[in-house]
Amino acid sequence: MAGGLLQIAEPGESNVKEACAGRVVGIDLGTTNSLVATVRDGNPECLAVDDAGGRLLPSVVEYLPGSVIVGRQAFLDAATRPRDTIVSVKRFMGRGPEELAGTETARRWTPYRFASKTGPVVRFLVANSEREVTPVEVSAEILKTLRARAEEALGGELDGVVITVPAYFDDGQRQATKDAGRLAGLDVLRLLNEPTAAALAYGLNKKSEGTFAVYDLGGGTFDISILKLTGGVFEVKSTGGDTALGGDDFDRALADLVVKRLAITVDDAAEQRALLDACRAAKHRLTDEPSAVVELRGRATITREDFDEAVAPILQRTFAPCRRALKDAGLDPAKPILDGVILVGGATRTPAVRAFVERLFQRPPLADIDPDQVVALGAAVQADLLAGAGPREDVLLLDVIPLSLGLEMMGGVVEKIIPRNSTIPTGAKQTFTTYADDQTGFDLHVLQGERETVDQCRSLARFQLKGLPPGPAGMARLEVTFLVDADGILHVTAREETTGKESSIDVKPSYGLSDEEVERMLLESYQFAESDVKTRLLVEARVEADRIINATRAALASDGHLLAEGGRPPIDAALETLARTRAGSDHRAIVAASEALDHASQDFAQRRMDDGLRRAVAGRRIGDVERKLE
């Protein structure tokens, strides 16, 4: 019989050796390239994804009749099969058909065919239009390839994976990423925000404290996060970004410049793909060289100065989110005091980007780790920690939600349940009641955004709670619970307390917020803050006025005989005043008229209460009533 060593642990200690703790990896599912990493002997490292030992897997998927190609070969085939080869699919994750390609420049350089009747999600027509695929399915093909390479390198099936997402991904985009992982056969342990992953890769958790900015400009998304480290706890103080901004836009800007220089038009899909690839190669050369040549029916020489000028408007789009993130974190945007600025994403190799970041944050950025690999390495560290094989020192990661979550109230106003920049995982409860008599259910409308009215926020989901016993308005008690899990995904539960009836929903919108909507929502929340509050106060005053008017009229109709002599005219006058004032736009006047009606009807309300008590105890003995009250 073969011999072996027993592993012995002290009481309270884990008896699982690091080598036996499971095969877990971190995956950076990137717009341009994707990577997979693991921790070996306490050090994170990216695994090879091709036979040549390369660490970067191009995030490109080619669909042929009967087969799928992922990675380098698909990238090479993109110029000859542009409509059947999906590049930069991350930009389509969690988006709807009306958001297909974002900006006018993006639409001009998008060669894909889309299904005419797509429903709520984007569908690409591929394999000579014989097949329809969604962004989730395309992403799953990339993840399957990374999974196969990781299992080959680690010698067995994976036990879990951490997948990184932009911090500014909303609920729909996060859910789409998680669905892609499941479709690829992966056990997704956690969705980790990319800036937090970068901080882990830099080992910032080994410092005692500090405030850091993470500037993440990848191929298709931009994130800015302000992280504060205190006693081993990473807290994301604020986050911002643009889910449709990145190095791809640099390529398109160069393509526009080349087309202008050569005085040509490029409408053919294959030629478009060839030009974009040539511009990407030129962009890479311009990182180290003063000029580069792009050839397409002619030769165009692009200098670094030309490039810097072309991409300046794109870089400027990152300015406002950065200043807002600094302000939200309690820092002075004009003189931010930071302990470090971390660069993430391949686009940050560009000298123009690094110079822009240094001017913006007034300090040279950190770039010790390959910006292409830093996120995957951090994801591996987090996976290692979740698997229980990491270092013993505790690292707590506190991320935040990017936009407020709430419910629609009467009159079309929004009641915010969880405000933006709340640390996740998080939860909140709030109790509501019925508005009308004999109401037997609730329609719940979940919203996301910063404005005060429903029409200015984004609808996430609707669900109902039915079957409540009819009763007077205000008697039912509905407790609504919002829970945002560690992946940033929302779960809503509604429970009527007196009956115990319950309904719940996992908010999984089929597509998320566009970058323009996110930017608009935040800017307008500041711009229209005062007018929004006035609108909300007016709506709430009108809703309360309607309730009082209806309740008073119903009471007069049923119990008018209880009025004192001469008691009716003051109430009728107050009713008429409130009905007239309610139609105006002065919420203070409506509140005052409501209070006047309440004052005028106080004696009547007391008489109704006394009459109700008399009828309740009529014919009953005092002892029975006392026992009932006990």
Side-chain angles (χ1 to χ4, degrees):
M1 183 175 67
L5 294 175
L6 289 175
Q7 182 182 8
I8 301 175
E10 294 296 327
E13 290 187 355
S14 170
N15 62 355
V16 180
K17 292 189 296 183
E18 182 173 336
C20 302
R23 300 179 185 88
V24 293
V25 298
I27 289 179
D28 175 10
L29 184 61
T31 305
T32 306
N33 296 295
S34 295
L35 303 92
V36 57
T38 191
V39 174
R40 285 174 169 164
D41 300 324
N43 296 312
E45 64 178 66
C46 289
L47 301 175
V49 294
D50 58 37
D51 295 335
R55 266 53 177 172
L56 301 179
L57 178 76
S59 301
V60 184
V61 181
E62 179 184 6
Y63 289 89
L64 302 170
S67 65
V68 179
I69 300 173
V70 179
R72 181 66 53 190
Q73 186 57 52
F75 173 77
L76 296 174
D77 292 345
T80 55
R81 295 179 53 83
R83 298 191 186 281
D84 299 316
T85 306
I86 308 301
V87 180
S88 300
V89 72
K90 189 173 180 177
R91 285 195 154 188
F92 297 91
M93 290 289 278
R95 292 179 177 274
E98 73 278 10
E99 303 169 295
L100 276 179
T103 65
E104 181 182 346
T105 301
R107 285 192 295 272
R108 188 163 61 250
W109 295 105
T110 299
Y112 309 126
R113 292 169 296 211
F114 298 98
S116 56
K117 295 182 179 179
T118 62
V121 295
V122 173
R123 293 182 182 273
F124 303 102
L125 289 172
V126 294
N128 298 326
S129 297
E130 294 177 2
R131 181 177 174 185
E132 294 182 7
V133 293
T134 66
V136 168
E137 293 172 288
V138 178
S139 296
E141 295 293 346
I142 299 169
L143 292 172
K144 286 177 187 176
T145 301
L146 293 172
R147 172 191 173 189
R149 285 294 182 173
E151 290 179 343
E152 180 182 344
L154 300 179
E157 292 186 3
L158 297 180
D159 296 303
V161 58
V162 169
I163 301 177
T164 61
V165 292
Y168 224 49
F169 257 24
D170 72 358
D171 194 79
Q173 292 165 308
R174 290 171 187 271
Q175 189 61 52
T177 304
K178 204 166 188 178
D179 289 344
R182 284 198 291 265
L183 190 59
L186 294 167
D187 179 12
V188 181
L189 302 174
R190 178 72 57 84
L191 295 181
L192 180 65
N193 282 355
E194 290 167 1
T196 309
L200 280 174
Y202 267 96
L204 298 185
N205 51 301
K206 296 181 175 61
K207 297 180 180 291
S208 59
E209 60 182 24
T211 303
F212 302 88
V214 181
Y215 185 96
D216 182 355
L217 187 63
T221 59
F222 167 65
D223 272 332
I224 176 64
S225 293
I226 309 299
L227 285 71
K228 186 173 184 179
L229 175 64
T230 306
V233 177
F234 270 126
E235 183 177 4
V236 180
K237 301 299 292 183
S238 64
T239 186
D242 190 329
T243 58
L245 174 66
D248 287 354
D249 297 288
F250 291 179
D251 302 341
R252 291 164 179 156
L254 271 186
D256 282 337
L257 179 59
V258 169
V259 166
K260 185 177 180 180
R261 287 272 179 91
L262 297 178
I264 60 175
T265 57
V266 181
D267 298 322
D268 178 72
E271 198 171 37
Q272 283 184 354
R273 185 73 262 164
L275 177 56
L276 286 173
D277 290 344
C279 288
R280 178 177 297 177
K283 175 183 69 178
H284 293 162
R285 287 196 298 275
L286 288 169
T287 298
D288 302 309
E289 301 174 13
S291 65
V293 175
V294 176
E295 295 189 38
L296 186 83
R297 286 189 270 152
R299 291 169 58 89
T301 299
I302 307 297
T303 66
R304 185 178 291 178
E305 289 73 21
D306 293 333
F307 175 80
D308 291 353
E309 184 179 349
V311 303
I314 301 169
L315 280 175
Q316 193 61 31
R317 286 171 57 189
T318 72
F319 179 78
C322 288
R323 288 182 63 87
R324 187 165 54 247
L326 289 167
K327 185 176 180 180
D328 288 347
L331 301 174
D332 182 358
K335 294 182 179 180
I337 301 175
L338 297 166
D339 295 285
V341 179
I342 299 171
L343 294 181
V344 179
T348 62
R349 296 178 185 276
T350 307
V353 174
R354 298 196 174 190
F356 177 84
V357 170
E358 184 170 351
R359 289 195 304 271
L360 178 61
F361 295 105
Q362 301 173 27
R363 63 177 299 138
L366 299 172
D368 303 337
I369 302 177
D370 185 336
D372 281 318
Q373 297 188 20
V374 63
V375 167
L377 294 173
V381 171
Q382 174 67 355
D384 201 49
L385 290 169
L386 292 175
R392 289 190 178 275
E393 64 264 21
D394 292 329
V395 179
L396 182 60
L397 306 176
L398 301 177
D399 282 326
V400 297
I401 59 171
L403 291 168
S404 300
L405 298 163
L407 284 177
E408 177 179 357
M409 297 289 102
M410 284 295 298
V413 298
V414 180
E415 181 70 18
K416 293 183 176 67
I417 308 296
I418 298 179
R420 76 184 184 96
N421 281 333
S422 294
T423 301
I424 60 173
T426 188
K429 292 182 180 180
Q430 199 154 327
T431 302
F432 303 93
T433 189
T434 47
Y435 171 77
D437 291 339
D438 299 324
Q439 187 174 329
T440 60
F442 290 90
D443 287 319
L444 294 108
H445 185 192
V446 184
L447 297 137
Q448 184 178 41
E450 301 309 311
R451 300 291 295 277
E452 296 292 335
T453 56
V454 170
D455 60 331
Q456 298 295 335
C457 290
R458 180 63 176 271
S459 173
L460 287 184
R462 295 176 183 268
F463 68 111
Q464 295 180 325
L465 179 64
K466 296 181 177 180
L468 304 182
M475 289 296 292
R477 288 291 180 270
L478 180 73
E479 183 182 74
V480 178
T481 303
F482 275 36
L483 292 174
V484 180
D485 64 22
D487 295 324
I489 294 173
L490 173 64
H491 313 272
V492 182
T493 302
R495 183 179 183 274
E496 206 287 311
E497 295 178 347
T498 59
T499 63
K501 287 186 176 294
E502 185 172 296
S503 181
S504 63
I505 188 171
D506 290 343
V507 179
K508 299 178 181 178
S510 53
Y511 56 90
L513 297 168
S514 70
D515 57 302
E516 290 86 358
E517 284 179 301
V518 171
E519 189 73 10
R520 175 182 57 78
M521 282 175 151
L522 289 176
L523 290 176
E524 289 182 353
S525 71
Y526 298 116
Q527 181 180 354
F528 298 109
E530 184 176 351
S531 62
D532 278 356
V533 169
K534 289 181 178 178
T535 299
R536 182 189 182 98
L537 291 173
L538 178 60
V539 169
E540 290 177 341
R542 285 175 173 173
V543 168
E544 180 64 11
D546 289 342
R547 186 192 67 78
I548 294 173
I549 289 171
N550 293 334
T552 304
R553 286 172 176 169
L556 290 171
S558 62
D559 297 322
H561 61 282
L562 298 175
L563 284 163
E565 185 177 353
R568 181 69 181 253
I571 295 177
D572 286 341
L575 269 172
E576 183 181 350
T577 299
L578 179 56
R580 184 176 62 255
T581 308
R582 183 242 179 258
S585 58
D586 185 347
H587 73 274
R588 293 185 181 87
I590 299 173
V591 171
S594 297
E595 291 174 348
L597 175 58
D598 181 63
H599 179 74
S601 60
Q602 275 184 353
D603 179 70
F604 178 44
Q606 185 64 50
R607 287 169 177 268
R608 291 186 71 219
M609 186 178 297
D610 293 344
D611 182 68
L613 287 173
R614 280 195 298 272
R615 285 188 282 108
V617 301
R620 302 176 66 182
R621 291 180 296 183
I622 293 178
D624 293 337
V625 174
E626 289 176 341
R627 282 192 294 273
K628 182 72 172 177
L629 292 174
E630 291 174 356

